[in-house]
Amino acid sequence: MGSSGVARLQGLFAVYKPPGLKWLHLRETVELQLLKGLNAGKPRAPEQRVRFLLGPVEGSEEKKLTLTATSVPTLTTHRLMRGPAFTSLKIGVGHRLDVQASGVLVLGVGHGCRLLTYMYHAHLTKDYTVRGLLGKATDDFCEDGRLVEKTIYGHVTREKLDRILAVIQGSHQKALVTYSNLDLKSQEAYEMAVQGTIRPMNKSPMLITGIRCLYFAPPEFLIEVQCMHETQQQLRKLVHEIGLELKTTAVCMQVRRTRDGLFTLDDALLRTQWNLHSIQDAIQTAAPRVAAELERNLRWGNQQLPCTGQPHNSKGPISTLEVESHSGH
């Protein structure tokens, strides 16, 4: 189990992070469960060494002692003396989720930590479902924040919401082209647009590649957001700004990530599956998909696979309705 078990742990896998749990605590829990599984295997037999032990001569009635070559275990390598064979693992966390958010969280073990960096440089999009509540505003854009204002929302319709979402998507698509540094008249730009692989070349504000309403029953509504370089707080602010555009107010009730790159909810391991065998199987299943996806997305723009670096999260809220005004920065 020792070396073979660790070898099957080299790669990426996804877990489902519940709300209220810090990503750091989740990572520590996963590491603890993996170490528990690795150390639970049958230990190797202790090494043997030859010792000359003093004892009576066999078959002799005389009380004479002699040295006899005897094989005895080396206690320095015994499990009870040495302790657990595995005490730590290199586990990295990809695009993080804050305490209140839930959904797909990608982790890397061993050389999978380097793959997390490759995922960042590939600028893969992520999907979220964001639940909003019309009629009130809070200081932190969350439903349980300090109440700032209450407003009426009877005039809000599904058509008005869809119109606002279309405006948001249009402005962000223009910003996406700007940050990609592409010549719109080139063949490369045309091919990338057809394949849907237009990505920003460097850091950028949050960019929304798609947004639509999934459910509308005032005061509640549910939207699906496809984006990159986002934080969950920026998505909550997006709900607030949508409320303002609708001539009312709105707060965010839930932020749930349903996809991170090639990993979806179907790939995410539940809490009861955070064990050695389930994670090993998840890594082995995802490995060919990870290689194909990274190669496809890193090929455009003649990017080279990076060797160092850490996964990046865009920080600092920026108005999601005003991305176009930042495109010249």
Side-chain angles (χ1 to χ4, degrees):
M1 171 61 72
S3 58
S4 62
V6 173
R8 296 187 67 231
L9 277 176
Q10 303 290 319
L12 299 180
F13 67 100
V15 299
Y16 187 88
K17 176 196 163 315
L21 178 65
K22 294 182 178 180
W23 67 265
L24 182 58
H25 291 169
L26 185 152
R27 179 205 166 280
E28 292 173 347
T29 301
V30 169
E31 181 182 15
L32 182 64
Q33 292 301 314
L34 290 178
L35 291 175
K36 182 179 178 180
L38 289 171
N39 289 317
K42 185 178 180 180
R44 292 184 304 174
E47 296 178 3
Q48 301 288 319
R49 65 176 180 175
V50 176
R51 297 276 314 264
F52 289 92
L53 303 180
L54 190 63
V57 179
E58 294 184 4
S60 175
E61 296 180 355
E62 299 181 9
K63 297 181 178 179
K64 292 184 178 181
L65 300 179
T66 184
L67 292 175
T68 305
T70 307
S71 179
V72 297
T74 303
L75 296 181
T76 55
T77 61
H78 195 279
R79 185 170 185 172
L80 295 179
M81 296 289 293
R82 183 188 57 194
F86 300 93
T87 57
S88 64
L89 287 172
K90 184 179 180 181
I91 301 179
V93 180
H95 299 107
R96 299 170 184 173
L97 289 169
D98 61 29
V99 177
Q100 296 170 303
S102 62
V104 179
L105 182 66
V106 180
L107 303 178
V109 185
H111 78 255
C113 296
R114 184 182 301 174
L115 295 178
L116 291 175
T117 304
Y118 296 170
M119 285 187 64
Y120 162 63
H121 285 276
H123 301 281
L124 303 178
T125 58
K126 297 174 284 296
D127 292 358
Y128 291 85
T129 55
V130 183
R131 190 175 300 275
L133 181 70
L134 297 168
K136 66 178 185 178
T138 60
D139 60 342
D140 60 357
F141 315 129
C142 295
E143 182 185 19
D144 55 357
R146 183 175 62 85
L147 184 64
V148 174
E149 183 181 8
K150 295 188 73 173
T151 56
I152 60 173
Y153 54 84
H155 61 282
V156 178
T157 64
R158 174 68 178 264
E159 291 72 23
K160 291 181 179 179
L161 176 58
D162 288 339
R163 208 156 39 234
I164 294 300
L165 299 183
V167 171
I168 295 174
Q169 180 169 326
S171 65
H172 279 255
Q173 286 178 341
K174 292 180 181 179
L176 176 61
V177 173
T178 302
Y179 279 102
S180 65
N181 296 331
L182 289 174
D183 181 4
L184 298 182
K185 299 180 181 179
S186 65
Q187 180 66 21
E188 179 189 15
Y190 172 77
E191 293 177 355
M192 291 174 58
V194 171
Q195 297 175 4
T197 56
I198 294 181
R199 300 286 187 271
M201 298 295 292
N202 298 298
K203 290 173 58 177
S204 72
M206 179 177 77
L207 295 173
I208 296 174
T209 59
I211 183 170
R212 65 189 179 111
C213 179
L214 299 178
Y215 171 79
F216 183 78
E220 293 189 18
F221 63 92
L222 181 68
I223 60 175
E224 180 183 59
V225 184
Q226 299 171 347
C227 55
M228 61 183 70
H229 299 175
E230 81 295 336
T231 65
Q232 290 76 59
Q233 188 63 12
Q234 287 175 329
L235 293 173
R236 297 185 184 101
K237 186 178 181 182
L238 172 64
V239 173
H240 168 75
E241 294 176 339
I242 289 174
L244 296 180
E245 291 295 317
L246 291 170
K247 310 303 181 186
T248 182
T249 54
V251 293
C252 182
M253 301 172 62
Q254 180 192 55
V255 175
R256 183 170 180 250
R257 183 189 288 163
T258 58
R259 182 181 65 86
D260 186 349
L262 60 96
F263 292 95
T264 67
L265 288 174
D266 293 334
D267 303 308
L269 301 178
L270 302 177
R271 177 64 182 84
T272 55
Q273 298 173 301
W274 297 354
N275 56 69
L276 177 62
H277 295 296
S278 296
I279 292 176
Q280 286 175 328
D281 292 342
I283 289 175
Q284 299 303 312
T285 301
R289 294 165 50 210
V290 170
E293 184 74 8
L294 291 179
E295 181 181 2
R296 184 176 72 88
N297 282 277
L298 289 173
R299 188 185 302 132
W300 69 267
N302 296 321
Q303 291 195 56
Q304 299 295 323
L305 291 179
C307 296
T308 59
Q310 297 296 329
H312 171 76
N313 255 351
S314 301
K315 294 184 179 180
I318 184 169
S319 173
T320 52
L321 296 178
E322 300 176 356
V323 171
E324 195 173 359
S325 65
H326 294 265
S327 59
H329 291 189

